[in-house]
Amino acid sequence: MRPRSVLGALQSMMCPVFIPHPSRKNLRIIAIRALLVIVVTGVKPTDQQEQQTPRSCDKLQAMRGMIIDYCGVLDGTDEDQARWRNLLVEARANGVGLAVLSNDPGGPSADPIRKLEDEGLVDAVVLSGEIGHEKPSAEAFNAAAATIELPARDCVLVDDSIENIHAAVSNGMVGVFYQQFDRAVVEISGLLGLEGEF
C-alpha cells in the first residue's frame, strides 16, 4: 500500500475518540501506529481487547452522564464559573445526569461544592471524605455514577488530574483532561450532543 493510500485510509477511519494524553504529539504517534497496524496488516483486536477499548464512535455521541471534578475545574475564574453554569443548565435540560466528584474530606469547607446541588445545577455531589473512597479508585467513580443512576461506562469524567483521567478510562469511562474551559467545552459538547455557545 502506497503512503497516500495509507493516509487516506487513516483519515477515513478517524472518529472523535477522546482519550486523555500527556501530549498531543505522543497521542498522534500512538494513534497513527495503531491504525497503521490495522490498515496494513488487517489485524483486528481480540474480544478481550475490544472490551477494554474505549467506546466506538456511535457510543461517543450518546453519553448520558458527566462527572466533574470541583477543584481546578468548577472553581475557576468568575467568567469560567458563569460559562460552566450555562453548560450545566443546558446539559440537564438535555437529560444528562450530572455529578460532582471531589476528593474533599467534607465538613463545612465543602459548602461551596454542595451549593451546586442545592441550586439544582447538578444532580449530586459526591465527596471522598463521606464515601470512604478517593479518586483515582474505581470505587469513587462507580459511587458517583450510581448517584445519577448510570453505570460508570456511560459517563464522561472531566478532571484536571491526568492520573484520574487515566484511571477513569481504565474503568470504562471517557475522560476529558481539563486545562482550559475553551478547550474542554468543545469535547464536552460533542460527547453530550449539546449545541450552542457556552
Side-chain angles (χ1 to χ4, degrees), residues 80 88 120 146 152 156 159 166 170:
D80 282 353
L88 296 175
V156 177
D159 202 296
H166 281 299
S170 296

Side-chain angles (χ1 to χ4, degrees), residues 4-168:
R4 283 188 180 179
S5 301
V6 172
L7 181 59
L10 286 174
Q11 289 173 337
S12 68
M13 293 174 65
M14 295 302 281
C15 66
V17 178
F18 299 100
I19 302 172
H21 52 281
S23 76
R24 289 183 179 185
K25 180 181 177 184
N26 289 344
L27 176 63
R28 213 172 282 127
I29 292 168
I30 292 167
I32 290 172
R33 285 181 181 167
L35 289 173
L36 278 173
V37 169
I38 294 170
V39 172
V40 175
T41 67
V43 174
K44 294 183 178 179
T46 63
D47 290 341
Q48 183 178 5
Q49 288 171 325
E50 285 177 353
Q51 290 172 4
Q52 296 172 353
T53 301
R55 320 179 155 273
S56 69
C57 293
D58 292 340
K59 290 185 180 177
L60 273 174
Q61 296 175 9
M63 303 304 292
R64 298 186 296 145
M66 181 167 63
I67 298 170
I68 315 138
D69 181 29
Y70 182 76
C71 293
V73 180
L74 294 175
D75 66 342
T77 64
D78 289 344
E79 180 185 352
D80 282 353
Q81 288 184 43
R83 295 177 75 187
W84 265 113
R85 291 175 80 86
N86 294 336
L87 177 62
L88 296 175
V89 167
E90 184 66 20
R92 287 201 76 188
N94 280 273
V96 177
L98 300 172
V100 173
L101 175 60
S102 172
N103 279 349
D104 191 279
S109 64
D111 287 347
I113 307 173
R114 290 191 188 94
K115 187 177 179 184
L116 294 168
E117 183 178 1
D118 295 341
E119 293 179 349
L121 291 172
V122 299
D123 300 299
V125 167
V126 181
L127 305 175
S128 294
E130 296 177 353
I131 63 169
H133 299 287
E134 288 189 352
K135 296 176 291 181
S137 72
E139 291 84 359
F141 299 132
N142 293 335
T147 64
I148 51 176
E149 301 179 351
L150 291 172
R153 69 176 310 279
D154 285 345
C155 298
V156 177
L157 176 75
V158 182
D159 202 296
D160 67 333
S161 163
I162 195 66
E163 181 183 5
N164 292 342
I165 292 295
H166 281 299

